[in-house]
Amino acid sequence: MSDEKKQNEAEKENLSRRRFLRNSGIAVGGLAVGGVLGSVIPWNTETAENNQQQTEEVKNYNHALMYFNQAEFRAIEAATERIFPQDDNGPGARELGVAYYIDHQLAGSYGFNARDYMQPPFFHGEKEQGYQGRLNRREIYRIGIREMQNYSHQTFEKGFTELSEEEQDQVLTDFAEEKVNVTTISPGNFFQLLRSMTLEGVYSDPLYGGNKDMDGWKMRDYPGNQMNYTEIIEGDFKEIPPNSLRDHM
């Protein structure tokens, strides 16, 4: 076959291939279209971006357990809600994500008492002297939750999360007033630690897991983490929308 004939055959083959691709809708301009592949491509880019943005707004990757198991988390979530319940002023601890704040704190150095002196000898000091013992906060919480469940079963024959609000209040009150017979930890110290961390979770920066949507700050008209107040430092009082540490990243 002559070179000219070979060239003509090659051109016919290329034309036939391009015609097939165009007519079958498999590729146009280097993009896969038509058939199964074409049906999954979001040609409406604006709609796809909006859907992605809405999905990202719904997800909160900061609300993930790092220390508690599911049962422990639900018990702490219920207990914190009784300490800081929802009312006409705003959301309670559950909606604010306080239990996640506590979980994250216990998973880090605070839970290990990394900055506290934890060496013996240990003595029973005055309440003003604070906690003195060999158990770190992680261990105190784990024991406290277990004893809270045990006391709920002994008193009401149900787990803490299954109790009514009034019954949950009674369990927490008995812990606070040292009416629960626990040998491994002080029930009163456990309640005080739980109460303190509940309030921290309500009013801390949302970056740490609690104070969801800065609603804890909004209830008190607290401006959060502002870069400065130079533009409003003089004159009448002004309300400022709160800022999180994440707003300055």
Side-chain angles (χ1 to χ4, degrees), residues 25-27 31-43:
I26 294 179
L31 294 178
V33 298
V36 176
L37 292 177
S39 66
V40 299
I41 294 179
W43 290 105

Side-chain angles (χ1 to χ4, degrees), residues 80-124:
T80 57
E81 179 67 17
R82 297 312 308 146
I83 293 173
F84 195 92
Q86 180 182 4
D87 57 18
D88 295 337
N89 296 316
R94 177 181 284 108
E95 187 175 344
L96 291 171
V98 169
Y100 286 105
Y101 167 82
I102 296 176
D103 172 78
H104 294 182
Q105 292 299 305
L106 296 179
S109 59
Y110 182 80
F112 288 102
N113 293 58
R115 298 185 179 183
D116 299 335
Y117 184 80
M118 299 290 291
Q119 300 300 320
F122 303 108
F123 298 98
H124 293 287

Side-chain angles (χ1 to χ4, degrees), residues 229-240:
Y229 300 91
T230 55
E231 297 180 358
I232 61 169
I233 198 169
E234 296 181 354
D236 298 332
F237 174 80
K238 296 180 177 63
E239 292 186 7
I240 310 173

Side-chain angles (χ1 to χ4, degrees), residues 134-243:
R134 60 175 52 85
L135 297 175
N136 59 41
R137 295 183 184 93
R138 291 162 57 102
E139 296 167 328
I140 291 174
Y141 260 90
R142 184 140 283 168
I143 295 172
I145 294 171
R146 184 177 67 242
E147 295 298 338
M148 192 169 64
Q149 295 282 28
N150 290 340
Y151 187 72
S152 298
H153 279 285
Q154 293 170 5
T155 308
F156 300 104
E157 298 182 351
K158 291 181 291 187
F160 184 80
T161 55
E162 300 170 338
L163 302 180
S164 66
E165 294 180 352
E166 292 75 14
E167 291 169 340
Q168 289 176 343
D169 289 346
Q170 184 61 55
V171 170
L172 294 174
T173 300
D174 289 347
F175 268 78
E177 296 178 354
E178 298 278 354
K179 295 180 179 179
V180 183
N181 184 19
V182 181
T183 58
T184 49
I185 63 171
S186 165
N189 284 344
F190 167 67
F191 175 80
Q192 290 302 324
L193 179 61
L194 175 61
R195 180 183 181 277
S196 175
M197 295 189 71
T198 296
L199 297 179
E200 290 173 12
V202 171
Y203 297 117
S204 64
D205 193 282
L207 189 67
Y208 301 105
N211 192 13
K212 183 181 178 183
D213 297 329
M214 295 179 282
D215 285 339
W217 290 346
K218 293 174 184 176
M219 285 188 285
R220 291 184 170 270
D221 295 326
Y222 179 68
N225 295 286
Q226 301 288 332
M227 294 297 291
N228 59 69
Y229 300 91
T230 55
E231 297 180 358
I232 61 169
I233 198 169
E234 296 181 354
D236 298 332
F237 174 80
K238 296 180 177 63
E239 292 186 7
I240 310 173
N243 276 342

